[in-house]
Structure formats: structure tokens, C-alpha cells
Amino acid sequence: MDKVVDKAQVTDTTVLQVKGLKQYFPVKKEKIRQEKQYVKAVDDISFAIEKGTTLSIVGESGCGKSTTGRAILRLEEPTDGEILYKDTDLAKISKRQLKKVRGEIQVIFQDPFASLNPRRTIRKMLNEAMEIQQVGDRQNREARMLELMSLVGLPPDSLERLPHEFSGGQRQRIGIARALSVNPEVIICDEAVSALDVSIQAQIINLLKKLQKQFNLTYVFISHDLSVVRHISDRVMVMYLGKIVEIADKKDLFDKPLHPYTKALLSAIPTTDLDSQRKEIEISGDVPSPINPPSGCRFHTRCPFATEKCRQEEPSLQVKMNGSDNHLAACHYADEIFANS
Ligand code: SF4
């Protein structure tokens, strides 16, 4: 029998808890009398993250993973729900209070320099980030900048250089240094290694893991690439059309995926294992519009196992018979599909 559990289970070491988060964006009306419509980018999701661990959020483009990251950072005003960080609801606090917390929750984007002044040296960039968050005095900051360069594996003279003088991998090292400069607890990595070559990706992932261990950092790692996610995650959350369809510890999710969508994503990862017994699950078509998501299970228009019940009833995110107590999936037939796979 399926067991309903609190989707955002909290323990003594929970650092961030998201409850019932919704992020809707209004659609511009084409006709005056047209009913107001919304893109439901994130639609009622709940989860929790333990301190010093990595939760990866995966899914196809448009599934809501980056919007979730942006909502945690309050780069968007959440439509509804709570984002609890150290007993503070980030979704509700004022801009002034938010400024104080901002240093503790940092972000690394795909291209950390996209929003930066190309004429400012790395020294100016790091100094400014620390000044805004009132980290140390001038002397401390000087020492801290040199320490940061060493932590991310760049020579000290990198501080005097301009953004365009660095390669993609080096830029990401500077992005990490900038995030670290203000002593964060949580870092949101939004497609942070997606634009890099595979060998550079591995170096950055190893660096992130080393720093996590050293500073007990918590990562929210947003990626469309499950082969990368496999190397960095403790827990993985799969999203589809604004909903969580499966969340589990990494090993459980990769070894025993319960949701057909997760199975399809995993079966699309290239493998060199010629003996692999993995059964391919193909999904056809595009992700439907998040303005009018399909009724019932949102995945039913692409799911090879869909029935009438799937079209009518939305499955809740639950522990399943074939999974551990910490493994939740939103599918009416997860156990039957698992048994036959
Ligand atoms: Fe497929 Fe139905 Fe499960 Fe949705 S509930 S994933 S449509 S089998």
C-alpha cells in the first residue's frame, strides 16, 4: 500500500524547506475580453534539503527547475508557498531583510560573467561582492581574495585580469570564488557546468565537491544532464511541467527509478556498458504548454502506460511499495510498472 508522507520532511539538519511553492507568470492578453491566463512554471511543490548535501533538480527544459532556483533566491516573487531558511520564510520577508540573507544563499549561473561589467577586474568584482555583504575590512578582504584564488585553483595574478581573458572553465572557477567570497551556506548551481567540455565539467564538479566537504556547503544543483547529476548528488528531484514527479536518494533513483518519466530520462543516457539490461522507455512529442497543463497526470499525453485514470486523477507524490521510505513518486502505477520492468 502506498504511504503518504510529508513531502518536505524536516530533520535537525534541514537547512532549507520549500512548502507548497507556486510560481505563476501572467500571460499577456491577446484580446481585451480574454480570460486571464498564467504560465504555471512551478505548481505546488514541497521538498527539504539537508545541510552539507546536494539536491539536484532535473528535467527537460520548461519543467520548472530553474524557476524553482530563482524562487529560492527570490529573483522572482513566489505566487504562493513558503521557503523556510533558518526559520525565516524567504517568500515573505521584506527586501531589506532579504539583503541580509542574500549572502548566505548564493548562485552560480551557466555563464557567471553574463551580468558583469566586462571592464572590471576580478579583484573589483570580488571586492564589491564582499563590500555589499559587509564581509571583513579592506585588509581582510585582500587576504580573502588571495585565499579564494587558491581555493578555486587560479593563480593570484588572476585578480588583476578582466573577464574576457579567461576560458569557460576558469570563468566558472571565478563564479565559484565570487559565490564563496561572502561565506554562503547554500549555493544554487543553475546549469553551472552545462556549457563546459566534459573534461572541464569533471574538474568543476570535483572542485565543487571538495569545497562542499571543506565548508559543509549545501548545493541545489540544477541540470538537464543526468550523467553530470550522478556525480554530484546526494538526492535527486525530477520535475515535469512544474511538478515533482519523483524524489529519492541518488542511488535509489538511478538503480530503481519508479516513475516512467524518470525511467525515460535515464534510458536516454548514453552507456558504454554492452551488457546493460536497461529497458528503453521512449517518450514521444513535446512537453505540453504549462498554460493549460494536461488534466490528471501531467505526463499522460506522453506516457506509454497512460490509462483513463491517469487522464482523470492527478497522482500524488508518495512512497511506493518498491521504494525506500525516502523515495517518493507521483504515478498511479509505479509499482506495477516497476514489477514488469
Ligand atoms: Fe504514466 Fe499514468 Fe503513471 Fe502518469 S500516472 S506516469 S500517465 S502511468
Side-chain angles (χ1 to χ4, degrees), residues 7-287:
K7 285 161 268 187
Q9 276 175 322
V10 182
T11 69
D12 291 348
T13 53
T14 298
V15 66
L16 193 74
Q17 186 193 11
V18 170
K19 286 165 91 176
L21 179 67
K22 290 184 184 173
Q23 185 73 64
Y24 295 177
F25 300 105
V27 179
K28 216 173 159 197
K29 284 186 188 179
E30 279 173 9
K31 293 179 199 149
I32 293 174
R33 286 177 182 224
Q34 192 178 327
E35 210 180 302
K36 213 169 183 187
Q37 289 187 306
Y38 294 90
V39 171
K40 295 176 178 171
V42 171
D43 201 3
D44 193 6
I45 64 168
S46 301
F47 58 94
I49 311 173
E50 301 297 300
K51 188 162 174 52
T53 68
T54 300
L55 171 79
S56 290
I57 310 182
V58 299
E60 289 165 289
S61 150
C63 69
K65 55 188 189 302
S66 286
T67 309
T68 303
R70 291 177 66 81
I72 293 171
L73 290 158
R74 265 282 292 275
L75 295 177
E76 311 288 352
E77 291 298 317
T79 309
D80 200 6
E82 296 171 42
I83 302 164
L84 301 171
Y85 172 72
K86 292 185 178 169
D87 298 328
T88 301
D89 185 356
L90 302 182
K92 308 274 181 338
I93 57 177
S94 68
K95 289 254 155 76
R96 232 172 87 194
Q97 291 169 301
L98 190 64
K99 203 178 153 198
K100 280 193 197 154
V101 184
R102 241 241 162 115
E104 295 182 33
I105 306 182
Q106 285 291 296
V107 62
I108 305 168
F109 290 115
Q110 188 168 347
D111 181 359
F113 288 171
S115 59
L116 293 173
N117 187 335
R119 284 184 288 274
R120 287 176 84 88
T121 61
I122 305 311
R123 172 186 297 284
K124 281 190 179 150
M125 181 189 86
L126 291 176
N127 196 44
E128 187 182 62
M130 289 191 277
E131 244 175 20
I132 290 171
Q133 287 301 324
Q134 298 171 344
V135 176
D137 56 23
R138 188 182 286 200
Q139 228 174 7
N140 290 341
R141 288 202 288 269
E142 191 56 39
R144 178 74 176 144
M145 284 191 275
L146 289 170
E147 188 196 0
L148 286 166
M149 288 301 98
S150 155
L151 280 171
V152 300
L154 288 173
D157 64 0
S158 303
L159 289 172
E160 318 311 331
R161 289 159 64 190
L162 293 165
H164 74 265
E165 297 177 57
F166 295 94
S167 67
Q170 289 171 328
R171 283 171 176 227
Q172 232 21 326
R173 286 177 192 270
I174 291 162
I176 294 168
R178 186 169 59 139
L180 280 184
S181 67
V182 293
N183 305 317
E185 293 230 6
V186 178
I187 301 183
I188 315 265
C189 306
D190 189 359
E191 299 282 6
V193 298
S194 304
L196 305 174
D197 292 344
V198 176
S199 62
I200 310 289
Q201 274 185 353
Q203 290 173 17
I204 299 296
I205 295 284
N206 288 339
L207 174 62
L208 286 169
K209 282 167 83 167
K210 185 189 94 178
L211 295 169
Q212 180 171 50
K213 220 170 168 183
Q214 198 168 347
F215 300 108
N216 201 20
L217 295 167
T218 305
Y219 294 144
V220 178
F221 192 84
I222 297 164
S223 177
H224 65 278
D225 187 344
L226 275 158
S227 46
V228 171
V229 160
R230 186 171 215 152
H231 292 292
I232 194 161
S233 317
D234 293 291
R235 217 160 146 70
V236 183
M237 178 168 116
V238 183
M239 289 187 71
Y240 183 78
L241 261 185
K243 294 273 187 192
I244 302 172
V245 296
E246 186 159 5
I247 181 165
D249 291 347
K250 176 181 71 178
K251 190 166 179 351
D252 288 341
L253 190 113
F254 278 87
D255 290 355
K256 275 182 156 195
L258 295 175
H259 195 284
Y261 180 60
T262 311
K263 284 173 188 274
L265 290 181
L266 289 177
S267 67
I269 301 178
T271 174
T272 49
D273 179 5
L274 296 176
D275 296 328
S276 172
Q277 295 295 306
R278 205 163 63 186
K279 257 194 200 171
E280 291 253 337
I281 292 193
E282 272 188 38
I283 46 172
S284 52
D286 296 325
V287 181

Side-chain angles (χ1 to χ4, degrees), residues 317-335:
L317 192 61
Q318 292 179 334
V319 170
K320 299 289 173 184
M321 237 163 48
N322 286 302
S324 71
D325 277 356
N326 216 7
H327 186 165
L328 290 82
C331 170
H332 296 305
Y333 303 109
D335 285 319

Side-chain angles (χ1 to χ4, degrees), residues 259-261 297 299-300 303-307 310 315 330-334 337:
H259 195 284
Y261 180 60
C297 172
F299 187 52
H300 85 247
C303 180
F305 307 103
T307 67
C310 305
C331 170
H332 296 305
Y333 303 109
I337 295 167

